[in-house]
Coordinates of all heavy atoms in Angstrom, one line a residue:
L1104 N 13.2 -20.5 12.0 CA 12.0 -20.1 12.8 C 11.8 -18.6 12.8 O 10.7 -18.2 13.0 CB 12.1 -20.7 14.2 CG 12.2 -22.2 14.3 CD1 12.4 -22.7 15.7 CD2 11.0 -22.9 13.7
A1105 N 12.9 -17.9 12.7 CA 12.8 -16.4 12.8 C 12.0 -15.8 11.7 O 11.4 -14.8 11.9 CB 14.2 -15.8 12.9
A1106 N 12.0 -16.4 10.5 CA 11.3 -15.9 9.4 C 9.8 -16.1 9.5 O 9.0 -15.5 8.8 CB 11.8 -16.5 8.1
K1107 N 9.3 -17.0 10.4 CA 7.9 -17.3 10.5 C 7.2 -16.2 11.4 O 7.8 -15.7 12.3 CB 7.7 -18.7 11.1 CG 8.5 -19.8 10.3 CD 8.0 -19.9 8.9 CE 8.7 -21.1 8.2 NZ 8.5 -21.1 6.8
A1108 N 6.0 -16.0 11.0 CA 5.2 -15.0 11.8 C 4.3 -15.6 12.8 O 3.5 -14.9 13.4 CB 4.4 -14.1 10.8
V1109 N 4.3 -16.9 12.9 CA 3.4 -17.6 13.8 C 3.7 -17.2 15.3 O 4.8 -17.2 15.7 CB 3.6 -19.2 13.7 CG1 2.7 -19.9 14.7 CG2 3.3 -19.6 12.3
E1110 N 2.7 -16.7 15.9 CA 2.8 -16.3 17.3 C 2.7 -17.5 18.3 O 2.1 -18.5 17.9 CB 1.6 -15.3 17.6 CG 1.6 -14.1 16.8 CD 2.8 -13.1 17.1 OE1 3.2 -13.1 18.2 OE2 3.2 -12.5 16.1
P1111 N 3.3 -17.4 19.4 CA 3.3 -18.5 20.4 C 1.9 -18.9 20.8 O 1.7 -20.1 21.0 CB 4.1 -17.9 21.6 CG 4.9 -16.9 21.1 CD 4.2 -16.3 19.9
D1112 N 0.9 -18.0 20.8 CA -0.4 -18.4 21.2 C -1.2 -19.1 20.1 O -2.2 -19.7 20.3 CB -1.2 -17.2 21.7 CG -1.4 -16.2 20.6 OD1 -0.6 -16.1 19.7 OD2 -2.4 -15.4 20.6
E1113 N -0.6 -19.2 18.9 CA -1.2 -19.9 17.8 C -0.8 -21.3 17.7 O -1.5 -22.2 17.1 CB -0.8 -19.2 16.4 CG -1.3 -17.8 16.3 CD -0.8 -17.2 15.0 OE1 -0.6 -17.9 14.0 OE2 -0.6 -16.0 15.0
I1114 N 0.4 -21.6 18.3 CA 1.0 -23.0 18.1 C 0.1 -24.0 18.8 O -0.3 -23.9 20.0 CB 2.4 -23.0 18.7 CG1 3.3 -22.0 17.8 CG2 3.0 -24.3 18.6 CD1 4.7 -21.8 18.3
L1115 N -0.1 -25.1 18.1 CA -0.9 -26.2 18.7 C -0.1 -27.1 19.6 O 1.2 -27.2 19.4 CB -1.4 -27.1 17.5 CG -2.4 -26.4 16.6 CD1 -2.7 -27.3 15.4 CD2 -3.7 -26.0 17.3
S1116 N -0.7 -27.6 20.6 CA 0.1 -28.5 21.6 C 0.5 -29.8 20.9 O 1.5 -30.4 21.3 CB -0.7 -28.7 22.8 OG -2.0 -29.3 22.5
D1117 N -0.3 -30.3 20.0 CA 0.0 -31.5 19.3 C 1.0 -31.2 18.2 O 0.7 -30.5 17.2 CB -1.3 -32.1 18.7 CG -1.1 -33.5 18.0 OD1 0.1 -33.9 17.9 OD2 -2.1 -34.1 17.6
A1118 N 2.2 -31.8 18.3 CA 3.3 -31.5 17.4 C 3.0 -32.0 15.9 O 3.3 -31.3 15.0 CB 4.6 -32.2 17.8
K1119 N 2.2 -33.1 15.8 CA 1.9 -33.5 14.4 C 0.9 -32.6 13.8 O 1.0 -32.3 12.6 CB 1.3 -34.9 14.5 CG 2.3 -36.0 14.8 CD 1.7 -37.4 14.8 CE 2.7 -38.4 15.1 NZ 2.1 -39.8 15.1
L1120 N -0.1 -32.1 14.5 CA -1.1 -31.2 14.0 C -0.4 -29.8 13.7 O -0.7 -29.2 12.6 CB -2.2 -30.9 15.0 CG -3.3 -32.0 15.0 CD1 -4.4 -31.6 16.1 CD2 -3.9 -32.2 13.7
E1121 N 0.6 -29.4 14.5 CA 1.3 -28.2 14.2 C 2.1 -28.3 13.0 O 2.2 -27.4 12.2 CB 2.2 -27.8 15.4 CG 2.9 -26.5 15.3 CD 2.1 -25.3 15.1 OE1 0.9 -25.3 15.6 OE2 2.5 -24.3 14.4
A1122 N 2.8 -29.5 12.8 CA 3.6 -29.7 11.5 C 2.6 -29.6 10.3 O 3.0 -29.0 9.3 CB 4.3 -31.0 11.6
R1123 N 1.5 -30.2 10.4 CA 0.5 -30.2 9.3 C 0.1 -28.7 9.1 O -0.1 -28.3 7.9 CB -0.7 -31.0 9.6 CG -0.4 -32.5 9.4 CD -1.6 -33.4 9.7 NE -2.8 -33.0 9.0 CZ -4.0 -33.3 9.3 NH1 -4.3 -34.0 10.4 NH2 -5.1 -33.0 8.6
A1124 N -0.2 -28.0 10.1 CA -0.6 -26.6 10.0 C 0.4 -25.8 9.3 O 0.1 -25.0 8.4 CB -0.9 -26.0 11.4
R1125 N 1.7 -26.0 9.7 CA 2.8 -25.3 9.0 C 2.9 -25.6 7.6 O 3.2 -24.8 6.7 CB 4.1 -25.6 9.7 CG 4.2 -25.0 11.2 CD 4.4 -23.5 11.2 NE 4.4 -23.0 12.5 CZ 5.5 -22.6 13.2 NH1 6.7 -22.7 12.6 NH2 5.4 -22.2 14.4
A1126 N 2.7 -26.9 7.3 CA 2.8 -27.3 5.9 C 1.7 -26.7 5.0 O 2.0 -26.3 3.9 CB 2.8 -28.9 5.8
I1127 N 0.5 -26.7 5.6 CA -0.6 -26.1 4.9 C -0.4 -24.5 4.7 O -0.5 -24.0 3.7 CB -1.9 -26.4 5.6 CG1 -2.2 -27.9 5.5 CG2 -3.1 -25.6 4.9 CD1 -3.4 -28.3 6.4
S1128 N 0.0 -23.9 5.8 CA 0.2 -22.4 5.8 C 1.3 -22.0 4.9 O 1.2 -20.9 4.3 CB 0.5 -22.0 7.3 OG -0.6 -22.2 8.1
S1129 N 2.3 -22.8 4.7 CA 3.4 -22.4 3.8 C 3.0 -22.4 2.4 O 3.6 -21.8 1.6 CB 4.6 -23.2 4.1 OG 4.3 -24.6 3.7
G1130 N 1.9 -23.0 2.1 CA 1.4 -23.1 0.7 C 0.2 -22.1 0.4 O -0.3 -22.1 -0.7
L1131 N -0.2 -21.3 1.4 CA -1.3 -20.4 1.2 C -0.8 -19.0 1.1 O 0.1 -18.6 1.9 CB -2.3 -20.5 2.4 CG -2.9 -21.9 2.5 CD1 -3.8 -21.9 3.8 CD2 -3.8 -22.2 1.3
R1132 N -1.3 -18.2 0.2 CA -0.9 -16.9 -0.1 C -1.6 -15.9 0.9 O -2.8 -16.0 1.1 CB -1.2 -16.5 -1.5 CG -0.8 -15.1 -1.9 CD -1.3 -14.7 -3.3 NE -1.2 -15.8 -4.3 CZ -0.2 -16.1 -5.0 NH1 0.9 -15.3 -4.9 NH2 -0.2 -17.0 -5.8
C1133 N -0.8 -15.0 1.4 CA -1.4 -13.9 2.2 C -2.1 -13.0 1.3 O -1.5 -12.5 0.3 CB -0.3 -13.1 3.0 SG -1.0 -11.7 3.9
M1134 N -3.4 -12.7 1.5 CA -4.2 -11.9 0.6 C -3.8 -10.4 0.7 O -4.2 -9.6 -0.1 CB -5.7 -12.1 0.9 CG -6.1 -13.6 0.7 SD -5.7 -14.3 -0.9 CE -7.1 -13.7 -1.8
V1135 N -3.1 -10.1 1.8 CA -2.7 -8.7 2.0 C -1.3 -8.5 1.3 O -1.1 -7.6 0.5 CB -2.7 -8.3 3.5 CG1 -2.2 -6.9 3.7 CG2 -4.1 -8.4 4.1
C1136 N -0.4 -9.3 1.7 CA 1.0 -9.2 1.2 C 1.1 -9.7 -0.2 O 1.9 -9.1 -1.0 CB 2.0 -9.9 2.1 SG 1.8 -9.5 3.8
Q1137 N 0.5 -10.8 -0.5 CA 0.4 -11.4 -1.8 C 1.8 -12.1 -2.3 O 1.8 -12.9 -3.2 CB -0.1 -10.5 -2.9 CG -1.5 -10.1 -2.6 CD -2.2 -9.4 -3.7 OE1 -1.6 -9.2 -4.8 NE2 -3.4 -9.0 -3.5
N1138 N 2.9 -11.7 -1.7 CA 4.1 -12.4 -2.1 C 4.7 -13.2 -1.0 O 5.8 -13.6 -1.0 CB 5.2 -11.3 -2.6 CG 4.9 -10.8 -3.9 OD1 4.2 -11.4 -4.7 ND2 5.3 -9.6 -4.2
E1139 N 3.9 -13.4 0.1 CA 4.3 -14.2 1.2 C 3.3 -15.2 1.5 O 2.1 -15.0 1.2 CB 4.5 -13.3 2.5 CG 5.6 -12.3 2.4 CD 5.7 -11.5 3.7 OE1 4.7 -11.2 4.3 OE2 6.8 -11.2 4.1
S1140 N 3.7 -16.3 2.1 CA 2.7 -17.2 2.6 C 2.1 -16.7 3.9 O 2.7 -15.8 4.5 CB 3.4 -18.6 2.9 OG 4.3 -18.5 4.0
I1141 N 1.0 -17.3 4.3 CA 0.4 -16.8 5.6 C 1.3 -17.2 6.8 O 1.2 -16.6 7.8 CB -1.0 -17.3 5.8 CG1 -1.1 -18.8 5.9 CG2 -1.9 -16.8 4.7 CD1 -2.4 -19.4 6.3
D1142 N 2.2 -18.2 6.6 CA 3.1 -18.6 7.6 C 4.2 -17.5 7.8 O 4.7 -17.4 8.9 CB 3.7 -19.9 7.2 CG 4.2 -20.8 8.4 OD1 3.5 -20.7 9.4 OD2 5.1 -21.5 8.3
E1143 N 4.5 -16.7 6.8 CA 5.6 -15.7 6.9 C 5.0 -14.3 7.2 O 5.8 -13.4 7.5 CB 6.4 -15.7 5.6 CG 7.0 -17.0 5.3 CD 7.5 -17.1 3.9 OE1 7.0 -16.3 3.0 OE2 8.4 -17.9 3.6
S1144 N 3.8 -14.1 6.9 CA 3.2 -12.8 6.9 C 2.8 -12.3 8.3 O 2.2 -13.1 9.1 CB 2.0 -12.7 6.0 OG 1.3 -11.4 6.1
H1145 N 3.0 -11.1 8.6 CA 2.6 -10.5 9.9 C 1.2 -9.8 9.8 O 0.8 -9.1 10.8 CB 3.6 -9.6 10.4 CG 4.9 -10.3 10.8 ND1 5.1 -10.9 12.0 CD2 6.1 -10.4 10.2 CE1 6.3 -11.4 12.1 NE2 6.9 -11.2 10.9
A1146 N 0.6 -9.8 8.7 CA -0.7 -9.1 8.5 C -1.8 -9.8 9.4 O -1.8 -11.0 9.6 CB -1.1 -9.2 7.0
P1147 N -2.7 -9.0 9.9 CA -3.8 -9.5 10.7 C -4.6 -10.6 10.0 O -5.0 -11.6 10.6 CB -4.6 -8.3 11.0 CG -3.7 -7.1 10.9 CD -2.8 -7.5 9.8

Side-chain angles (χ1 to χ4, degrees):
L1104 299 176
K1107 306 297 181 192
V1109 178
E1110 299 292 327
D1112 63 332
E1113 297 175 32
I1114 297 174
L1115 297 171
S1116 57
D1117 184 353
K1119 288 183 182 180
L1120 282 181
E1121 181 61 27
R1123 285 178 56 201
R1125 294 286 176 105
I1127 295 169
S1128 297
S1129 66
L1131 298 174
R1132 181 186 320 274
C1133 174
M1134 301 304 279
V1135 176
C1136 307
Q1137 296 188 2
N1138 287 333
E1139 291 182 329
S1140 71
I1141 63 170
D1142 208 31
E1143 299 166 337
S1144 175
H1145 292 280

